[in-house]
Amino acid sequence: MTTPWGEPALSRFPVDPRDRLRAWDASDEYLLRHLAEQAIDLSGTVVVVGDRWGALVTALAAHGPTQITDSYLGQEATRLNLARNGAEPGAVRLLTTQDPPPDRIDVLLVRVPKSLALLEDQLLRLAPALHAGTVVVGTGMVKEIHTSTLTLFERIIGPTRTSLAERKARLILCTPDPSLERPANPWPYAYTLPGGVGAVSGRTVVNHAGVFCADRLDIGTRFLLQHLPDGDDARRVVDLGCGNGVVGTAMGLAHPEAEVLFTDESFQAVASAEATYKANGVPGHAEFRVGDGLSGVPDGSVDLVLNNPPFHSHQATTDATAWRMFTGARRALRPGGSLWVIGNRHLGYHVKLRRLFGNSELVASDPKFVLLRAVKR
């Protein structure tokens, strides 16, 4: 990536030589160029929110920025990229969206997230640390910045305008207004599940901002809840890519003798899963882990894995995450253990499961979704 501070070598995480997706885009370059051209003073507290793979903080490492991210994979990519480019250990402070933000911010740089809710939550959390002299610059590709995006900056931070587009990227330029009356933060958000979804019917779900389908039960998860395995012989169950944890909570309620592992690469998701589980007083034992799928889970230690894999990485459509989830599940499952996968029909997960497990059974289907089961032989 070419920047006014050099040309750092960057990669996503986990590193895959076959992955053609870059660890930065034109909006990252545009933002860095703007900082240099406008001679923005970076000697104070610089906070970077939503830096997807660490491109921004790696370029600015000499200025001691703080990164705030919801992504475990993004945070690990940042560590890798900082080390690769010779940054001093501790040069960048790494925080998650669940950590308390800095008390004072002099420069706030925001990589606009896909989730408007996550942007709202983060701006509301960071706004008290801003002052009249804080420089606030957002960045994103043109297709990622909408009227609703600008409205959030205007409502929470202060007067907002946009730059001209360059290479399909745009900047958001915002002037903090300390006298602005901000709304209360609506996150986390809780709601009651409808009937007809098994053990969690009428139960409470808690969602932190940015979690998929945070204000309602998505139809794919509803379909999975209606066809959950009986799990009578499952002692260790994994809700893989747990989101708000409703699937693992359902298994815990139906099988209190089982131990449930909730895992996701989103810090917001794992916090939601833990809140959902505790809100429903599930009597069994649970573990909540932020990480890369089932990495770190011992081989052959799991009886059942339940998975609704994502097929996007930010704006890019990819099956790389699903494939890592499937291969991780096969390694972690004991012989005879099974992976249950819910997915859109067109994704063709049955082909991948047959290639990996040697089998794939259709458990249930409707016009939109298929529920598949693969058994480790």
Side-chain angles (χ1 to χ4, degrees):
M1 180 178 71
T2 301
T3 83
W5 294 274
E7 296 187 354
L10 304 168
S11 69
R12 297 186 174 213
F13 182 88
V15 177
D16 182 353
R18 300 164 298 178
D19 188 359
R20 297 184 179 182
L21 297 174
R22 298 190 309 179
W24 76 96
D25 61 22
S27 67
D28 296 311
E29 293 177 319
Y30 194 1
L31 173 57
L32 292 169
R33 192 165 61 251
H34 172 81
L35 295 178
E37 290 174 352
Q38 299 300 314
I40 302 298
D41 182 5
L42 301 174
S43 62
T45 301
V46 179
V47 173
V48 182
V49 180
D51 189 8
R52 294 182 178 176
W53 304 103
L56 295 174
V57 294
T58 299
L60 299 173
H63 300 283
T66 295
Q67 182 198 67
I68 299 176
T69 181
D70 179 42
S71 171
Y72 170 86
L73 298 181
Q75 193 174 77
E76 290 304 297
T78 300
R79 296 184 202 277
L80 181 67
N81 288 324
L82 288 169
R84 177 187 288 120
N85 290 280
E88 292 292 327
V92 176
R93 185 185 182 197
L94 302 178
L95 299 179
T96 80
T97 49
Q98 287 291 303
D99 292 322
D103 294 330
R104 176 187 171 92
I105 300 174
D106 300 304
V107 178
L108 175 62
L109 309 177
V110 181
R111 182 64 167 84
V112 173
K114 186 176 181 179
S115 166
L116 194 67
L118 182 58
L119 177 62
E120 177 185 39
D121 176 65
Q122 290 304 293
L123 291 182
L124 285 169
R125 283 164 54 87
L126 294 166
L130 306 182
H131 53 85
T134 302
V135 175
V136 179
V137 186
T139 189
M141 302 306 290
V142 169
K143 64 183 179 182
E144 299 171 326
I145 298 176
H146 311 285
T147 301
S148 54
T149 311
L150 305 178
T151 299
L152 272 185
F153 276 90
E154 186 99 25
R155 183 164 59 95
I156 297 171
I157 306 298
T160 300
R161 60 187 177 88
T162 60
S163 71
L164 296 174
E166 291 188 12
R167 295 170 54 207
K168 298 182 180 180
R170 193 181 297 277
L171 300 180
I172 300 170
L173 307 172
C174 190
T175 303
D177 179 0
S179 67
L180 196 64
E181 291 189 14
R182 303 181 188 95
N185 194 335
W187 304 100
Y189 174 76
Y191 68 90
T192 302
L193 288 165
V197 289
V200 288
S201 295
R203 296 282 186 160
T204 299
V205 177
V206 182
N207 295 271
H208 285 267
V211 177
F212 176 66
C213 238
D215 60 347
R216 65 193 184 284
L217 182 64
D218 68 279
I219 56 177
T221 300
R222 179 192 291 267
F223 190 72
L224 176 56
L225 288 170
Q226 292 170 336
H227 298 89
L228 281 180
D230 58 43
D232 289 338
D233 59 347
R235 291 294 175 264
R236 186 161 170 80
V237 178
V238 179
D239 187 349
L240 176 58
C242 62
N244 60 25
V246 65
V247 172
T249 297
M251 289 299 295
L253 287 167
H255 306 280
E257 72 286 353
E259 177 183 340
V260 183
L261 168 62
F262 296 82
T263 181
D264 203 294
E265 79 96 19
S266 161
F267 295 96
Q268 298 285 95
V270 173
S272 301
E274 185 168 6
T276 296
Y277 187 87
K278 291 180 177 179
N280 290 287
V282 186
H285 177 71
E287 180 184 352
F288 304 90
R289 181 184 299 183
V290 181
D292 179 17
L294 288 167
S295 61
V297 174
D299 295 1
S301 65
V302 170
D303 300 301
L304 175 64
V305 178
L306 304 168
N307 183 215
N308 183 359
F311 54 93
H312 290 93
S313 177
H314 300 293
Q315 296 294 331
T317 300
T318 175
D319 64 359
T321 302
W323 184 253
R324 284 207 317 279
M325 286 179 160
F326 298 166
T327 55
R330 186 181 184 281
R331 178 191 56 76
L333 282 166
R334 61 167 176 79
S338 60
L339 166 65
W340 289 56
V341 177
I342 181 75
N344 295 77
R345 281 181 170 274
H346 71 273
L347 295 173
Y349 287 149
H350 62 288
V351 177
K352 291 180 174 59
L353 293 175
R354 283 176 186 158
R355 186 187 313 163
L356 189 61
F357 286 81
N359 64 91
S360 175
E361 172 193 358
L362 177 65
V363 176
S365 66
D366 68 9
K368 187 173 178 62
F369 296 101
V370 291
L371 178 59
L372 305 169
R373 175 177 180 259
V375 179
K376 183 174 179 180
R377 303 300 187 190

